[in-house]
Amino acid sequence: MSDYSVTGIVEKVLPVEQVKEWEKGGIVIKTEDEYNNLYPLVAFGKTMEKIANIKEGQQVTAYFNVKANEYQGKYYTNLDVWKVDVLNNASSAPKKEAAFQADGDSDDLPF
């Protein structure tokens, strides 16, 4: 089995669901690629610990396996995450720039 990785910004942290005796959650990573740039990664059971502290806006590298299952003639594919490295903790949201302030009195006109 091959291991895959993707680096990008966490666009969304998926809510935790209870599936029988297991917890299921995940994250969606958006890359800078023009097409096919969203990766919904799934975590089950103990691997939930790997994504517990991940927040939207963080830049991460996620390592995952591709898993496919057949159920009643239909095929389902998951990207099962097994490791996440946080590259930075800064949000990808644009920072607000400081408002322009002129030197001297604010009543002074330049003409």
Side-chain angles (χ1 to χ4, degrees), residues 80-101:
D80 291 342
V81 65
W82 54 270
K83 180 181 175 186
V84 179
D85 293 332
V86 177
L87 303 178
N88 70 18
N89 287 320
S91 173
S92 64
K95 296 179 181 177
K96 293 183 180 179
E97 295 184 19
F100 174 75
Q101 294 180 354

Side-chain angles (χ1 to χ4, degrees), residues 13 25-27 41 43 47-55 81 84:
V13 176
I27 57 176
L41 303 170
T47 58
M48 287 290 297
E49 297 170 4
K50 307 287 184 186
I51 65 168
N53 296 320
I54 302 297
K55 295 178 179 43
V81 65
V84 179

Side-chain angles (χ1 to χ4, degrees), residues 22-92:
W22 298 95
E23 285 187 334
K24 174 185 172 185
I27 57 176
V28 177
I29 296 177
K30 185 172 186 177
T31 66
E32 294 181 3
D33 296 336
E34 186 175 355
Y35 301 106
N36 301 322
N37 61 354
L38 291 176
Y39 292 80
L41 303 170
V42 178
F44 278 102
K46 290 185 178 185
T47 58
M48 287 290 297
E49 297 170 4
K50 307 287 184 186
I51 65 168
N53 296 320
I54 302 297
K55 295 178 179 43
E56 292 177 7
Q58 289 180 317
Q59 184 175 15
V60 300
T61 297
Y63 302 89
F64 61 94
N65 295 322
V66 178
K67 182 180 176 187
N69 294 310
E70 184 269 335
Y71 179 71
Q72 296 182 351
K74 293 186 180 182
Y75 291 88
Y76 300 90
T77 304
N78 282 337
L79 305 179
D80 291 342
V81 65
W82 54 270
K83 180 181 175 186
V84 179
D85 293 332
V86 177
L87 303 178
N88 70 18
N89 287 320
S91 173
S92 64

